[in-house]
Amino acid sequence: MPFRLLVPFGLLCVLLPLHHGAPGPDGTAPDPAHYRERVKAMFYHAYDSYLENAFPYDELRPLTCDGHDTWGSFSLTLIDALDTLLILGNVSEFQRVVEVLQDNVDFDIDVNASVFETNIRDPSFMEGSFIRLHTLVVGGLLSAHLLSKKAGVEVEAGWPCSGPLLRMAEEAARKLLPAFQTPTGMPYGTVNLLHGVNPGETPVTCTAGIGTFIVEFATLSSLTGDPVFEEVARVALMRLWESRSDIGLVGNHIDVLTGKWVAQDAGIGAGVDSYFEYLVKGAILLQDKKLMAMFLEYNKAIRNYTHFDDWYLWVQMYKGTVSMPVFQSLEAYWPGLQSLIGDIDNAMRTFLNYYTVWKQFGGLPEFYNIPQGYTVEKREGYPLRPELIESAMYLYRATGDPTLLELGRDAVESIEKISKVECGFATIKDLRDHKLDNRMESFFLAETVKYLYLLFDPTNFIHNNGSTFDAVITPYGECILGAGGYIFNTEAHPIDPAALHCCRRLKEEQWEVEDLMREFYSLKRNRSRFQKKTMSSGPWEPPAGPEPPSSPENHDQAREKSAKQKIPLLSCPSQPFTSKLALLGQVFLDSS
């Protein structure tokens, strides 16, 4: 008998009016300015509580007003909150924290970063500390390094190709490289930061723990000039791709020594999620068509085998039969990812399904039984995760649908009402009775609050459409930064894609940029000429067709001639959010 998804009637009743951007309970749409200030107040209540009660420990325990180390004693909440400070406009605190981190963080410690020390407390579906240490520490330091100049930090000569935060990120990343020394190139799930991989270490690693490196490691390779980081990340991605089943799916855990799947449940949630996320974001960041093609093939298989009535279930990776008809809160990133590939209609339908669950409980339970329309036993909690808010932010940028602001409003109201305590915000242990747990995970400041603030702040520099930018001089020439198009890593640390082209200048790249710049100015002159003709000669007439392409010989001659001429700095026009960031950090029209 084929599986049929039964959605409770009450959920359908909630779902239907949401498509039309129904107003809030008082009949009015949420006021972005009001909620922006509410979110800022939430951040400082949590951040100040951490500084006063928990620093230098990793995280705050809000019920007992003290701190504890969870990931290795790196003051991780401080690293995680750093770029959020700048997004909220607090440059002075950003500058102070940069100095604190430089003076206090040390990676030469005898600590195991283990994928099996989970933060969703489930032995079958794990998001591990190894991957979180990478995305949080390396990603957080890289993001802060690239934002330092905007924050008024006095940067050293050669920035962004050098700097203390960049050196810290490189040091942390090198501590992780021994994990990649396996026959398959897929990394171990655990590495000791002082001694490397321990003898007898288990070779079983979750899929996300293998496929969530390309954003940070490619950025690091581009800034430092050392290709090893990007190389190991790409090998790991390819090995996963080659390990997919005949029906195009990947499982949840794999043996990195043999390449054989240990957990064969396929889905988009915990243990797999950021692998798919990094294929898309890596493709955008690196302008890599192969990575995007890989994701689009996965997307077809996911829709064929796991997609039911705009929900996504868990299935057996070889047969496609349903193994778990549940929605996990970690899956709520998916509509945002769909928006990045332009699949807005499907993204909104899935988002609205997830939003009904939020409205039912005032948060997303870790597991939700879709046919029964209720929580799963021992998975009733909500640790203030950001994924649904993240999707709302992306979709609001794409559509402007006020329903997405309503989710932001509901999130602020729910978190403040249920989770706020004297010393910060506490994890909700059970959404049914609102019992709390004595933990405030660092991602609350890094992701949840950040995405909420950006949802309500349409003019934030993160949303720059290319109309403004900064020109900086590097040892490799002039570079354009801050023009927008930021790529968030899986911990919501923004990476400026233009920076990847600031610290290298291959001849081929220079030629491509010069060609594109000449094309840009040619189009600009043509527009100016036709505008003048319109003013003097009556109605506008379309321009003649494009000139035939030049021969390779003429093209080479043009390159030689252009090399003798000084190319003026590109003046970036106002662009839509989809502006293309091209080589060497320049911004060009989508048609370029």
Side-chain angles (χ1 to χ4, degrees), residues 257 536 557:
L257 298 182
S536 59
Q557 292 173 6

Side-chain angles (χ1 to χ4, degrees), residues 408-422:
R409 173 203 63 203
D410 291 350
V412 171
E413 301 293 349
S414 295
I415 292 171
E416 285 200 330
K417 180 178 180 180
I418 303 172
S419 176
K420 187 176 182 180
V421 294
E422 181 181 353

Side-chain angles (χ1 to χ4, degrees), residues 342-356:
D343 191 5
I344 303 298
D345 289 342
N346 283 318
M348 280 299 296
R349 285 196 291 270
T350 297
F351 174 86
L352 293 172
N353 274 353
Y354 297 168
Y355 188 15
T356 62

Side-chain angles (χ1 to χ4, degrees), residues 393-452:
M393 189 275 291
Y394 279 118
L395 282 167
Y396 187 68
R397 296 298 301 168
T399 68
D401 190 328
T403 299
L404 301 155
L405 293 181
E406 292 170 23
L407 177 277
R409 173 203 63 203
D410 291 350
V412 171
E413 301 293 349
S414 295
I415 292 171
E416 285 200 330
K417 180 178 180 180
I418 303 172
S419 176
K420 187 176 182 180
V421 294
E422 181 181 353
C423 294
F425 292 86
T427 288
I428 302 171
K429 187 175 183 178
D430 192 328
L431 280 167
R432 298 170 302 175
D433 56 16
H434 297 172
K435 288 181 180 178
L436 301 179
D437 200 4
N438 193 20
R439 188 172 185 185
M440 186 184 81
E441 301 211 41
S442 66
F443 61 67
F444 177 66
L445 295 178
E447 302 182 68
T448 308
V449 171
K450 181 183 296 164
Y451 285 130
L452 272 173

